[in-house]
Amino acid sequence: DGGITQSPKYLFRKEGQNVTLSCEQNLNHDAMYWYRQDPGQGLRLIYYSQIVNDFQKGDIAEGYSVSREKKESFPLTVTSAQKNPTAFYLCASSIAQHTEAFFGQGTRLTVV
Amino acid sequence: KQEVTQIPAALSVPEGENLVLNCSFTDSAIYNLQWFRQDPGKGLTSLLLIQSSQREQTSGRLNASLDKSSGRSTLYIAASQPGDSATYLCAGSYNTDKLIFGTGTRLQVFP
């Protein structure tokens, strides 16, 4: 089945640790996105990539990093510089800019 | 500033009722508007996408409309069922590389 796979579903981070969230798609989409969802707030864009080996910062990129070495993969690293990382992280992809977006099932990150 | 608003934040209706969810946006220079469904603890499922040149889109019991001049989109759900219970999100696509999301309407359909 075509779709977007995020792993793990749940992730726990200790203070000072970097953690990486995985996002893989087999839809042959060029564009990929990372959003963060907090209770009572709309989704906010962290990073996006329109093409392999290129990515851009979104509205809340501080404390996060990404790579786009392959078309199907767009991992997100939450670094120790991110002071409030507890949230629900959603990966999305689309054929191109301004086309229908499809989302993965999300990763819930908790700081312990 | 581009903003998307969804009112009400929560809605509870009896099964079988036809209902309308509202989405308002401040900037009419919208490329398209997308409606999503989100179940608790899950990702977003795309329901309908309306291009700026369209006025409505239909999928099964769902019908979404778009009125750029008034800055409004509505999602109409016919003959609601308990399985429709979820949070519904709308998002606008503009001349930026991100979707602008509303905060959602949490719908409960009771038997």
Side-chain angles (χ1 to χ4, degrees), chain A residues 2 15 17 26 41 43 47 49 52 56 62 66-67 104 112:
Chain A
E15 295 285 348
Q17 252 186 356
N26 60 4
Q41 297 191 41
L43 277 71
Y47 267 98
S49 169
V52 174
Q56 305 295 327
E62 185 175 352
V66 293
S67 63
V112 297

Side-chain angles (χ1 to χ4, degrees), chain A residues 73 76 80 91 98 102 112:
Chain A
S73 178
L76 174 74
S80 57
C91 178
H98 306 308
F102 297 89
V112 297

Side-chain angles (χ1 to χ4, degrees), chain A residues 9 33 35 37 40-45 48 50 59 88 90 97-106 108, chain B residues 31-32 34 36 38 41-49 51 89 93-99 101-103:
Chain A
K9 187 174 181 180
Y33 309 82
Y35 287 88
Q37 187 176 36
Q41 297 191 41
L43 277 71
R44 293 179 292 168
L45 182 66
Y48 63 95
Q50 299 292 348
D59 297 324
F88 192 51
L90 289 157
Q97 195 179 18
H98 306 308
T99 60
E100 187 175 10
F102 297 89
F103 281 77
Q105 289 299 298
R108 185 165 300 281
Chain B
Y31 279 82
N32 60 58
Q34 196 167 354
F36 297 91
Q38 185 175 30
K42 304 292 186 181
L44 276 62
T45 299
S46 177
L47 297 174
L48 289 164
L49 180 143
Q51 300 290 354
L89 297 160
S93 178
Y94 291 91
N95 61 346
T96 59
D97 292 293
K98 64 183 179 183
L99 291 172
F101 280 88
T103 52

